[in-house]
Coordinates of all heavy atoms in Angstrom, one line a residue:
A835 N 55.0 145.3 154.9 CA 56.2 145.5 154.2 C 57.2 144.4 154.5 O 58.0 143.9 153.6 CB 56.8 146.9 154.5
E836 N 57.2 143.9 155.7 CA 58.2 142.9 156.1 C 57.9 141.5 155.5 O 58.7 140.6 155.5 CB 58.2 142.7 157.7 CG 56.9 142.1 158.3 CD 55.8 143.1 158.4 OE1 56.0 144.3 158.1 OE2 54.7 142.7 158.9
S837 N 56.7 141.4 154.9 CA 56.3 140.2 154.2 C 56.9 140.0 152.8 O 56.8 139.0 152.2 CB 54.8 140.1 154.1 OG 54.2 140.2 155.4
I838 N 57.4 141.1 152.3 CA 57.9 141.1 150.9 C 59.3 140.6 150.9 O 60.2 141.2 151.6 CB 57.8 142.5 150.3 CG1 56.4 143.1 150.4 CG2 58.3 142.5 148.9 CD1 55.4 142.2 149.7
S839 N 59.6 139.5 150.2 CA 60.9 138.9 150.1 C 61.6 139.5 148.8 O 61.0 139.6 147.8 CB 60.9 137.4 150.0 OG 60.3 136.9 151.2
V840 N 62.9 139.8 148.9 CA 63.7 140.2 147.8 C 64.8 139.2 147.6 O 65.6 139.0 148.5 CB 64.3 141.6 148.0 CG1 65.1 142.0 146.8 CG2 63.2 142.6 148.2
L841 N 64.8 138.5 146.5 CA 65.8 137.5 146.2 C 66.9 138.2 145.5 O 66.8 138.7 144.4 CB 65.2 136.4 145.4 CG 64.1 135.6 146.0 CD1 63.6 134.5 145.0 CD2 64.5 134.9 147.3
E842 N 68.1 138.2 146.1 CA 69.2 138.9 145.5 C 70.0 138.0 144.6 O 70.2 136.8 144.8 CB 70.2 139.4 146.7 CG 69.5 140.4 147.7 CD 69.3 141.8 147.1 OE1 69.8 142.0 146.0 OE2 68.5 142.6 147.7
G843 N 70.6 138.6 143.6 CA 71.5 137.9 142.7 C 71.0 136.6 142.1 O 69.8 136.6 141.6
L844 N 71.8 135.6 142.2 CA 71.4 134.3 141.6 C 70.5 133.5 142.5 O 70.1 132.4 142.2 CB 72.6 133.5 141.2 CG 73.6 134.2 140.2 CD1 74.7 133.3 139.9 CD2 72.8 134.6 139.0
E845 N 70.2 134.0 143.7 CA 69.3 133.3 144.6 C 67.9 133.0 144.0 O 67.3 132.0 144.2 CB 69.1 134.2 145.9 CG 68.4 133.5 147.0 CD 68.2 134.4 148.2 OE1 68.7 135.5 148.2 OE2 67.4 134.0 149.1
A846 N 67.5 134.0 143.2 CA 66.2 133.8 142.5 C 66.2 132.6 141.6 O 65.2 131.9 141.5 CB 65.8 135.1 141.8
V847 N 67.3 132.4 140.9 CA 67.4 131.2 140.0 C 67.3 129.9 140.8 O 66.6 129.0 140.4 CB 68.7 131.3 139.2 CG1 68.7 130.2 138.2 CG2 68.8 132.6 138.5
R848 N 68.0 129.9 141.9 CA 68.0 128.6 142.7 C 66.7 128.4 143.3 O 66.3 127.2 143.5 CB 69.1 128.7 143.7 CG 70.5 128.7 143.2 CD 71.6 128.7 144.2 NE 71.5 127.6 145.1 CZ 72.0 126.4 144.9 NH1 72.6 126.2 143.7 NH2 71.9 125.4 145.7
K849 N 66.0 129.4 143.6 CA 64.7 129.3 144.3 C 63.6 128.9 143.3 O 62.7 128.1 143.6 CB 64.3 130.7 144.9 CG 63.0 130.6 145.8 CD 63.3 130.0 147.1 CE 62.2 130.1 148.1 NZ 62.4 129.4 149.3
R850 N 63.7 129.4 142.0 CA 62.7 129.1 141.0 C 63.3 128.7 139.7 O 63.2 129.4 138.7 CB 61.7 130.3 140.8 CG 60.9 130.7 142.0 CD 59.7 129.8 142.2 NE 58.9 130.3 143.3 CZ 59.0 130.0 144.6 NH1 60.0 129.1 144.9 NH2 58.2 130.4 145.5
P851 N 64.1 127.6 139.7 CA 64.8 127.3 138.4 C 63.9 127.1 137.2 O 64.4 127.3 136.1 CB 65.5 126.0 138.8 CG 64.8 125.4 140.0 CD 64.2 126.6 140.7
G852 N 62.7 126.6 137.4 CA 61.8 126.3 136.3 C 61.5 127.6 135.5 O 61.2 127.5 134.3
M853 N 61.6 128.7 136.1 CA 61.3 130.0 135.4 C 62.4 130.3 134.3 O 62.1 130.9 133.4 CB 61.2 131.2 136.4 CG 60.0 131.2 137.3 SD 60.1 132.6 138.4 CE 60.2 134.0 137.3
Y854 N 63.6 129.7 134.6 CA 64.7 130.0 133.7 C 65.1 128.9 132.7 O 65.5 129.2 131.6 CB 65.9 130.4 134.6 CG 65.7 131.6 135.4 CD1 65.1 131.5 136.7 CD2 66.0 132.8 134.9 CE1 64.9 132.6 137.5 CE2 65.8 134.0 135.7 CZ 65.2 133.9 137.0 OH 65.0 135.0 137.7
I855 N 64.9 127.7 133.1 CA 65.3 126.5 132.2 C 64.1 125.6 132.0 O 64.3 124.5 131.4 CB 66.5 125.7 132.8 CG1 66.1 125.2 134.2 CG2 67.7 126.6 132.9 CD1 67.1 124.2 134.7
G856 N 62.9 126.0 132.4 CA 61.7 125.2 132.0 C 61.4 124.1 133.0 O 60.2 124.0 133.4
S857 N 62.3 123.3 133.5 CA 62.0 122.3 134.5 C 63.3 121.8 135.2 O 64.4 122.2 134.7 CB 61.4 121.1 133.8 OG 62.3 120.4 133.0
V858 N 63.2 121.0 136.2 CA 64.4 120.4 136.9 C 64.5 118.9 136.5 O 65.1 118.2 137.2 CB 64.4 120.6 138.4 CG1 64.6 122.1 138.7 CG2 63.1 120.1 139.0
S859 N 63.8 118.5 135.4 CA 63.9 117.2 134.9 C 65.1 117.1 134.0 O 65.9 118.0 133.9 CB 62.6 116.8 134.2 OG 62.5 117.6 133.0
T860 N 65.2 115.9 133.3 CA 66.4 115.8 132.4 C 66.4 116.8 131.3 O 67.5 117.3 130.9 CB 66.3 114.4 131.8 OG1 66.3 113.4 132.8 CG2 67.5 114.1 130.8
K861 N 65.2 117.3 130.9 CA 65.2 118.3 129.9 C 65.8 119.6 130.4 O 66.6 120.2 129.7 CB 63.7 118.6 129.5 CG 63.5 119.6 128.4 CD 62.1 119.7 128.0 CE 61.9 120.7 126.8 NZ 60.5 120.9 126.4
G862 N 65.5 120.0 131.6 CA 66.1 121.2 132.2 C 67.6 121.0 132.4 O 68.4 121.9 132.2
L863 N 68.0 119.8 132.8 CA 69.4 119.4 133.0 C 70.2 119.6 131.8 O 71.2 120.3 131.7 CB 69.5 118.0 133.6 CG 70.9 117.5 133.8 CD1 71.5 118.2 135.1 CD2 70.9 116.0 134.0
N864 N 69.7 119.0 130.7 CA 70.4 119.1 129.4 C 70.5 120.5 128.9 O 71.4 121.0 128.2 CB 69.8 118.2 128.3 CG 70.0 116.8 128.5 OD1 70.9 116.4 129.3 ND2 69.2 115.9 127.9
H865 N 69.5 121.3 129.3 CA 69.4 122.7 128.9 C 70.6 123.5 129.4 O 71.0 124.5 128.7 CB 68.1 123.4 129.4 CG 67.7 124.6 128.7 ND1 67.0 124.6 127.6 CD2 68.0 125.9 129.0 CE1 66.8 125.9 127.2 NE2 67.4 126.7 128.0
L866 N 71.2 123.1 130.5 CA 72.4 123.8 131.0 C 73.5 123.7 129.9 O 74.2 124.7 129.7 CB 72.9 123.1 132.3 CG 71.9 123.2 133.5 CD1 72.6 122.5 134.7 CD2 71.4 124.6 133.8
I867 N 73.7 122.5 129.3 CA 74.7 122.4 128.3 C 74.4 123.3 127.1 O 75.3 124.0 126.6 CB 74.8 120.9 127.9 CG1 75.4 120.0 129.0 CG2 75.7 120.8 126.6 CD1 75.5 118.5 128.6
Y868 N 73.1 123.3 126.7 CA 72.8 124.0 125.5 C 73.0 125.5 125.7 O 73.3 126.2 124.8 CB 71.3 123.8 125.2 CG 70.9 122.3 125.1 CD1 69.6 121.9 125.3 CD2 71.9 121.3 124.7 CE1 69.3 120.5 125.3 CE2 71.5 120.0 124.6 CZ 70.2 119.6 124.9 OH 69.9 118.3 124.8
E869 N 72.8 126.0 126.9 CA 73.0 127.4 127.2 C 74.5 127.8 126.9 O 74.8 128.9 126.3 CB 72.6 127.8 128.6 CG 71.1 128.0 128.8 CD 70.6 129.0 127.9 OE1 71.2 130.0 127.6 OE2 69.4 128.8 127.4
I870 N 75.4 127.0 127.4 CA 76.8 127.3 127.2 C 77.2 127.1 125.8 O 78.0 127.9 125.2 CB 77.7 126.5 128.1 CG1 77.3 126.7 129.6 CG2 79.2 126.9 128.0 CD1 77.4 128.1 130.2
V871 N 76.7 126.1 125.1 CA 76.9 125.9 123.7 C 76.4 127.0 122.9 O 77.0 127.5 121.9 CB 76.3 124.5 123.2 CG1 76.3 124.4 121.7 CG2 77.0 123.4 123.9
D872 N 75.2 127.5 123.2 CA 74.6 128.6 122.5 C 75.5 129.9 122.5 O 75.5 130.6 121.6 CB 73.2 128.9 123.0 CG 72.2 127.9 122.6 OD1 72.4 127.1 121.7 OD2 71.1 127.8 123.2
N873 N 76.1 130.1 123.7 CA 77.0 131.2 123.7 C 78.2 131.1 122.8 O 78.6 132.1 122.1 CB 77.6 131.4 125.2 CG 76.6 131.8 126.2 OD1 75.6 132.4 125.8 ND2 76.8 131.5 127.4
A874 N 78.7 129.9 122.6 CA 79.8 129.6 121.7 C 79.3 129.8 120.2 O 80.0 130.3 119.4 CB 80.4 128.2 121.9
V875 N 78.1 129.3 120.0 CA 77.5 129.4 118.7 C 77.3 130.9 118.3 O 77.5 131.3 117.1 CB 76.1 128.7 118.6 CG1 75.4 129.0 117.2 CG2 76.3 127.2 118.7
D876 N 76.9 131.7 119.3 CA 76.8 133.2 119.0 C 78.2 133.7 118.6 O 78.2 134.6 117.7 CB 76.3 133.9 120.3 CG 74.9 133.6 120.6 OD1 74.2 133.2 119.6 OD2 74.4 133.8 121.7
E877 N 79.3 133.3 119.2 CA 80.6 133.7 118.7 C 80.8 133.3 117.3 O 81.5 134.0 116.5 CB 81.7 133.0 119.6 CG 82.0 133.8 120.9 CD 82.7 135.1 120.6 OE1 84.0 135.1 120.4 OE2 82.1 136.2 120.5
H878 N 80.4 132.1 116.9 CA 80.5 131.6 115.6 C 79.7 132.5 114.6 O 80.2 132.9 113.6 CB 80.0 130.1 115.5 CG 79.8 129.7 114.1 ND1 80.9 129.3 113.3 CD2 78.7 129.5 113.3 CE1 80.5 129.0 112.1 NE2 79.2 129.0 112.1
L879 N 78.5 132.8 115.0 CA 77.7 133.7 114.1 C 78.3 135.1 114.0 O 78.1 135.7 112.9 CB 76.3 133.8 114.7 CG 75.4 132.6 114.8 CD1 74.1 132.8 115.5 CD2 75.1 132.1 113.3
A880 N 79.0 135.5 115.0 CA 79.7 136.8 114.9 C 81.0 136.7 114.1 O 81.7 137.7 113.8 CB 80.0 137.3 116.3
G881 N 81.4 135.4 113.7 CA 82.5 135.3 112.8 C 83.8 135.0 113.5 O 84.9 135.1 112.9

C-alpha cells in the first residue's frame, strides 16, 4: 500500500504534462495560449 503514490491537485499536471497538453515541445507551449483563448471563444459562442 505504501508504494501507491497519490498526486494531489495540480501536482499530477506538473508530473505528467504530456497527458494534458500533448508534449513539452513548442507545440505544447503554444497550446497554453490556445487553452485560455478557447475559454474566451466559449464566452463568444455563448453570446
Side-chain angles (χ1 to χ4, degrees):
E836 68 280 358
S837 305
I838 305 301
S839 299
V840 178
L841 299 178
E842 299 288 349
L844 301 183
E845 186 184 352
V847 182
R848 293 181 60 81
K849 190 76 173 175
R850 297 283 186 269
M853 290 177 59
Y854 296 89
I855 58 169
S857 72
V858 291
S859 66
T860 301
K861 185 176 181 180
L863 179 72
N864 286 345
H865 198 85
L866 300 182
I867 292 177
Y868 308 151
E869 279 305 323
I870 304 299
V871 169
D872 286 343
N873 289 339
V875 172
D876 289 340
E877 273 291 278
H878 170 73
L879 293 174

